Amino acid sequence: MKIIDTKIIVCCPDRNFVTLKLITDEGVYGIGDATLNGRELAVAAYLQDHIGPCLLGRDPGQIEDIWQYLYRGAYWRRGPVTMTAIAAVDTALWDIKAKLAGMPLYQLLGGKSRNGVMVYGHANGTDIAHTADEVAKYIDMGYRAIRAQCGIPGLPSTYGVSKDKLFYEPADAGLPAENLWSTEKYLHHIPKLFDHLRDKFGFEHHLLHDAHHRLTPIEAAQLGKALEPYKLFWLEDAVVADNQAGFRRIREHTTTPLAVGEVFNSIWDAKQLIEEQLIDYIRATVTHAGGITHLRRIADLASLYHVRTGCHGATDLSPATMGAALHFDLWVPNFGIQEYMRHTPLTDEVFPHDYSFADGYLTPGDKPGHGVDIDEKLAAKHPYKRAYLPVNRLLDGTMFNW
Ligand code: CS2
Ligand code: MG
């Protein structure tokens, strides 16, 4: 069996997605997500111009060899563009292998370790009362775990607080929007949010929070300590993790569980964090961390150090990533939780899939492969539109982390 065609499909059914379709001479094909939010066309070109020609004629069964060929062979290792492109190829190859085996992907990985995948949804509001209303909606929908974000008094807009509630989309058309940030105002306000939520809803549901890389280690330590009474499931991306040792400082001061890694693209980004047990959850997911092949390696390392998985699952991860991640989640022994931001009905239509939500759990279907396809005709009706994530400045104009 040979790979005879590599199609790169760029579309915008309410947001941009890059999808790879690998086609074999026997007609079986595989789908992989290659979306890198705000930098989509760089990955599309990497796949089209540099990877595609090297795949033609190869045996799609050699998943490991192709992964090593693309990673080691390129000389230039790691990086979000490269690893997202490799991930798309890898996901499509696992899809093909599972289709040929006539099995849902989780069976090839080692079978089910659980009945369903616990997911968390996003409740966000302009103020505390509004966020509490949103939390109530997620509880009514059956969620067991909810991430809560809230507008900060004195700041005109805040990360995680959206215009559209159920279909939260941070990327905007045009050029990057500019937000304003004050760590002092944020640190003062967030403990009040969780105090209110626990007071109102009790301790039955898991609550999570994302600081989106905006604190220093000592500020994160202060926040983690202040949030201890509210028993968070995790505090996410407290600090930029370029310097992994920075997490030691947070750990010295707080027992609030820590999650990080949605922007990681390889095991090397997380090695020290995992080996020193500086985190509790690793957020890497299929598409930005080198596919099923590499994510499995990260999860295996994590399992040695009591670190559990918490795959990124925002709207910029296409249903093809969500599908593949759910098969991975159903199998992975050290599973923690899966993020689930719902896609719009149009996105769901462009990417037909068989996963389903009930009682706070997502479950992949039993179709052979990862269960996600792309409707190319419908995709063609929604061409790429330039869109960026916002940027963030301090009140005095200094450029800050988004
Ligand atoms: C967020 C994302 O889901 C999350 O935890 O941090 O919304 C993230 O900002 C986007 O996925 C960026 O592409
Ligand atoms: Mg995040």
Side-chain angles (χ1 to χ4, degrees), residues 120 122 147 149 159 209-213 234 236-237 262-263 283 312 314 339 402:
Y120 70 91
H122 284 214
R147 185 186 99 160
Q149 307 291 133
Y159 159 73
H209 182 69
D210 188 351
H212 226 250
H213 307 119
W234 78 34
E236 175 187 340
D237 288 351
E262 65 182 41
V263 302
R283 299 263 300 133
H312 189 199
E339 181 180 16
W402 186 72

Side-chain angles (χ1 to χ4, degrees), residues 201-223:
F201 300 106
F203 283 78
E204 214 176 296
H205 294 85
H206 296 302
L207 293 179
L208 300 81
H209 182 69
D210 188 351
H212 226 250
H213 307 119
R214 292 180 178 187
L215 307 175
T216 63
I218 205 67
E219 289 162 353
Q222 284 171 25
L223 181 63

Side-chain angles (χ1 to χ4, degrees), residues 195-252:
D195 189 52
H196 181 77
L197 294 179
R198 283 307 187 200
D199 194 42
K200 188 161 176 162
F201 300 106
F203 283 78
E204 214 176 296
H205 294 85
H206 296 302
L207 293 179
L208 300 81
H209 182 69
D210 188 351
H212 226 250
H213 307 119
R214 292 180 178 187
L215 307 175
T216 63
I218 205 67
E219 289 162 353
Q222 284 171 25
L223 181 63
K225 220 170 167 176
L227 293 176
E228 276 173 22
Y230 314 116
K231 301 274 178 261
L232 261 57
F233 186 91
W234 78 34
L235 172 61
E236 175 187 340
D237 288 351
V239 173
V240 172
D242 297 1
N243 173 13
Q244 297 180 38
F247 274 68
R248 285 189 199 135
R249 189 67 68 244
I250 315 176
R251 273 294 207 225
E252 280 163 10

Side-chain angles (χ1 to χ4, degrees), residues 28-320:
V28 180
Y29 63 86
I31 299 290
D33 177 24
T35 309
L36 186 62
N37 208 359
R39 297 293 184 269
E40 294 86 358
L41 300 184
V43 187
Y46 192 101
L47 281 167
Q48 183 81 52
D49 301 335
H50 303 296
I51 286 189
C54 304
L55 291 180
L56 297 182
R58 280 180 197 280
D59 173 0
Q62 290 185 275
I63 300 179
E64 187 65 48
D65 182 66
I66 291 177
W67 196 95
Q68 301 295 341
Y69 178 87
L70 296 175
Y71 182 82
R72 295 176 188 231
Y75 187 58
W76 310 105
R77 293 177 180 220
R78 305 164 57 198
V81 174
T82 300
M83 295 304 276
T84 302
I86 294 178
V89 174
D90 187 76
T91 311
L93 291 176
W94 278 102
D95 194 25
I96 291 172
K97 199 182 265 298
K99 282 177 177 167
L100 290 172
M103 289 178 182
L105 176 56
Y106 70 79
Q107 288 290 10
L108 274 190
L109 295 173
K112 279 187 191 183
S113 300
R114 54 197 55 81
N115 300 323
V117 170
M118 182 171 70
V119 296
Y120 70 91
H122 284 214
N124 51 73
T126 44
D127 58 24
I128 291 176
H130 185 195
T131 302
D133 290 347
E134 294 299 316
V135 169
K137 287 185 196 162
Y138 277 89
I139 291 176
D140 287 349
M141 283 190 276
Y143 281 78
R144 288 154 197 270
I146 302 147
R147 185 186 99 160
Q149 307 291 133
C150 179
I152 307 297
L155 294 182
S157 60
T158 304
Y159 159 73
V161 180
S162 57
K163 296 155 229 154
D164 189 339
K165 290 298 155 216
L166 196 54
F167 306 114
Y168 167 48
E169 175 51 67
D172 260 329
L175 293 172
E178 302 223 345
N179 287 336
L180 285 176
W181 179 252
S182 156
T183 300
E184 296 74 21
K185 292 186 199 300
Y186 168 81
L187 287 179
H188 186 65
H189 194 62
I190 290 301
K192 294 184 197 162
L193 168 67
F194 285 94
D195 189 52
H196 181 77
L197 294 179
R198 283 307 187 200
D199 194 42
K200 188 161 176 162
F201 300 106
F203 283 78
E204 214 176 296
H205 294 85
H206 296 302
L207 293 179
L208 300 81
H209 182 69
D210 188 351
H212 226 250
H213 307 119
R214 292 180 178 187
L215 307 175
T216 63
I218 205 67
E219 289 162 353
Q222 284 171 25
L223 181 63
K225 220 170 167 176
L227 293 176
E228 276 173 22
Y230 314 116
K231 301 274 178 261
L232 261 57
F233 186 91
W234 78 34
L235 172 61
E236 175 187 340
D237 288 351
V239 173
V240 172
D242 297 1
N243 173 13
Q244 297 180 38
F247 274 68
R248 285 189 199 135
R249 189 67 68 244
I250 315 176
R251 273 294 207 225
E252 280 163 10
H253 296 284
T254 179
T255 56
T256 292
L258 302 174
V260 73
E262 65 182 41
V263 302
F264 291 177
N265 51 70
S266 84
I267 199 164
W268 302 101
D269 295 322
K271 185 172 177 287
Q272 187 180 5
L273 289 169
I274 292 173
E275 287 177 345
E276 290 190 31
Q277 301 187 34
L278 301 178
I279 55 170
D280 302 281
Y281 297 92
I282 176 74
R283 299 263 300 133
T285 193
V286 178
T287 188
H288 299 136
I292 296 278
T293 297
H294 195 63
L295 188 61
R296 196 161 63 162
R297 241 150 237 157
I298 298 175
D300 280 344
L301 176 68
S303 75
L304 303 181
Y305 298 95
H306 308 284
V307 176
R308 287 182 282 173
T309 63
C311 288
H312 189 199
T315 41
D316 49 301
L317 293 304
S318 96

